[in-house]
Amino acid sequence: MANGTAHRQPARRPGGRNARVRTRILDATVELVARDGIAGFRYEEVAECAGVHKTSVYRNWPDREELVVEALLRYAEDLASIADTGDIHRDLVEFLLALAGGLETPFGQTLERALQPGRQSPTIRTLTRVLDQRVAAMTRRVETAVERGELPPVDSGFLGEMISGPVHLIVNRGVRRFSREDAERVVGVVLAGIRATAPER
Amino acid sequence: MANGTAHRQPARRPGGRNARVRTRILDATVELVARDGIAGFRYEEVAECAGVHKTSVYRNWPDREELVVEALLRYAEDLASIADTGDIHRDLVEFLLALAGGLETPFGQTLERALQPGRQSPTIRTLTRVLDQRVAAMTRRVETAVERGELPPVDSGFLGEMISGPVHLIVNRGVRRFSREDAERVVGVVLAGIRATAPER
């Protein structure tokens, strides 16, 4: 729908104005969820922060849960990408660095707290499924590496937990920034361990 | 100080009554911190839950922070133990299972939430140092294995993050219980990876 002239001639593009309003509302929601938590933000503040009338928020998202989920989807999409350069080690290192970068944001930290058990609402369970999509992209990349013979057959979900667990621990504890050297070491040890423990074929 | 007759003749042991009162207060504190969080529990409730007079709590712990830290110390001590059977794989598997068991308790979950950045009080920073002692016991065990030639020279702190990261991720997300099979796989892959990536000597 978007094209190169859209920014210069916004009034000519059908739905263009509402698309921009929606984008501003979603960005404002991400910001307020990061500040006040998923249960804490208010529609009035979203409207103010987005520079739109409150009725625009209600009209586009009558359901609060849908607003939160859609705002998160945009956030998760940025994190979901994993490249395929043909080198699984390199691609997983970049994936971990992007994951750490996302976790270090205020919104990432709010999500991490919200995702812990004992405080799970229906919204949170939906968000968990959204985040699962990010994991799914990474596991598909691992499976491609297995098909190419770059890795032995491996439980890709387990491999994902092995490499992302240390990232969550280091970032969430706030002990230090998760560095490229950390990413290289984590991926190096896990891939070497997977190869060394693979059953003989 | 404690001996076998203490339970039968409590009145005869100097300080015995107060020691039991203190234990009951600490246990009550752990329970209430698990329920209400570190900032949420009240001295009145601790006294009621411990079955003691409120002044006993204030007299023993005029400082709220010291009460929380001492209650946590008791909790952390239970988790700090790591055996030395001479088999580093086996000892780390048991360590991970004990860690997962601790994290799965309501108190463990409260701690996990409290330890995240952005909400760190002086109490929390003290608690972080306490938990560091648990990690220190595990890293000493790893260093013993290196000295015996069971493992190549390794950054024991990094090894600790590699094995405990997945435990935190799996338990905190509440996706599934962390099983013995998980512990075996995590330790197996990490130790094999450490051995495979060690510089030639």
Side-chain angles (χ1 to χ4, degrees):
Chain A
M1 211 158 73
N3 60 54
T5 62
H7 290 292
R8 274 169 285 161
Q9 296 180 313
R12 296 280 181 97
R13 192 155 61 93
R17 185 175 178 284
N18 195 45
R20 285 193 305 283
V21 164
R22 289 175 62 95
T23 299
R24 289 216 301 270
I25 291 171
L26 291 173
D27 288 346
T29 303
V30 167
E31 204 171 303
L32 290 168
V33 165
R35 197 188 72 187
D36 302 331
I38 285 167
F41 81 92
R42 289 163 52 229
Y43 267 46
E44 286 78 2
E45 289 176 305
V46 170
E48 197 181 334
C49 182
V52 304
H53 199 275
K54 200 172 69 178
T55 51
S56 292
V57 187
Y58 283 108
R59 196 177 56 237
N60 281 285
W61 288 278
D63 186 284
R64 183 189 175 90
E65 178 165 340
E66 281 173 16
L67 173 58
V68 174
V69 169
E70 199 166 334
L72 180 82
L73 263 167
R74 282 163 51 84
Y75 167 85
E77 272 166 15
D78 291 343
L79 288 179
S81 65
I82 176 164
D84 185 353
T85 67
D87 179 345
I88 185 67
H89 176 100
R90 182 175 158 191
D91 294 346
L92 289 177
V93 165
E94 297 302 328
F95 174 80
L96 289 194
L97 287 169
L99 172 63
L103 289 175
E104 281 165 1
T105 63
F107 190 65
Q109 285 298 311
T110 302
L111 266 183
E112 281 299 292
R113 283 196 290 272
L115 287 172
Q116 296 191 351
R119 32 173 66 189
Q120 299 213 339
S121 66
T123 310
I124 294 302
R125 283 192 289 275
T126 310
L127 299 187
T128 305
R129 286 198 296 277
V130 170
L131 287 178
D132 286 348
Q133 293 172 10
R134 181 180 71 187
V135 174
M138 186 264 290
T139 55
R140 276 195 303 275
R141 176 67 190 86
V142 168
E143 281 154 18
T144 306
V146 172
E147 284 158 23
R148 291 175 188 157
E150 219 188 336
L151 284 179
V154 62
D155 176 343
S156 55
F158 171 70
L159 190 152
E161 289 166 352
M162 287 296 301
I163 62 171
S164 58
V167 181
H168 282 85
L169 185 67
I170 291 168
V171 173
N172 290 348
R173 283 288 153 82
V175 178
R176 65 172 191 275
R177 280 191 71 96
F178 185 82
S179 67
R180 181 169 291 274
E181 192 198 343
D182 286 320
E184 290 281 355
R185 286 209 294 183
V186 168
V187 173
V189 165
V190 170
L191 293 190
I194 294 283
R195 288 177 176 127
T197 56
E200 300 279 339
R201 302 220 296 164
Chain B
M1 206 157 77
N3 62 55
T5 61
H7 290 288
R8 274 169 285 160
Q9 298 182 311
R12 295 283 182 94
R13 190 155 63 91
R17 184 174 179 285
N18 195 44
R20 284 193 307 284
V21 165
R22 288 175 62 95
T23 300
R24 288 216 302 271
I25 291 171
L26 291 173
D27 288 345
T29 303
V30 167
E31 204 170 304
L32 290 169
V33 166
R35 198 189 71 187
D36 301 332
I38 284 167
F41 81 92
R42 290 165 50 229
Y43 267 46
E44 286 78 3
E45 289 176 304
V46 169
E48 196 181 333
C49 182
V52 303
H53 199 273
K54 199 170 68 176
T55 52
S56 292
V57 186
Y58 283 107
R59 194 176 58 238
N60 280 283
W61 287 278
D63 186 285
R64 184 188 173 88
E65 177 164 341
E66 281 173 17
L67 172 57
V68 173
V69 169
E70 198 164 336
L72 180 83
L73 265 168
R74 281 162 52 84
Y75 168 84
E77 273 166 14
D78 291 343
L79 289 179
S81 65
I82 175 165
D84 185 353
T85 66
D87 178 346
I88 185 67
H89 177 101
R90 181 176 159 188
D91 294 345
L92 288 178
V93 165
E94 296 302 328
F95 173 80
L96 289 193
L97 287 169
L99 172 62
L103 288 175
E104 280 165 1
T105 64
F107 190 65
Q109 285 297 312
T110 301
L111 264 184
E112 281 298 293
R113 282 196 290 271
L115 287 173
Q116 296 191 349
R119 34 172 65 188
Q120 299 212 340
S121 66
T123 310
I124 294 301
R125 283 191 288 275
T126 310
L127 299 187
T128 304
R129 287 198 295 275
V130 169
L131 287 179
D132 286 348
Q133 293 171 9
R134 180 181 71 186
V135 173
M138 186 264 290
T139 56
R140 277 195 302 275
R141 177 67 189 85
V142 168
E143 281 154 19
T144 305
V146 172
E147 284 159 23
R148 290 173 190 158
E150 216 188 339
L151 284 179
V154 63
D155 176 344
S156 56
F158 171 70
L159 190 151
E161 289 166 351
M162 288 294 303
I163 62 171
S164 59
V167 181
H168 282 86
L169 185 66
I170 291 168
V171 174
N172 290 348
R173 283 290 153 81
V175 178
R176 64 172 191 273
R177 280 192 70 99
F178 185 82
S179 67
R180 180 169 293 274
E181 192 198 342
D182 286 319
E184 291 281 354
R185 287 209 295 181
V186 168
V187 173
V189 165
V190 171
L191 293 189
I194 293 284
R195 288 177 177 127
T197 58
E200 301 278 338
R201 303 220 299 162

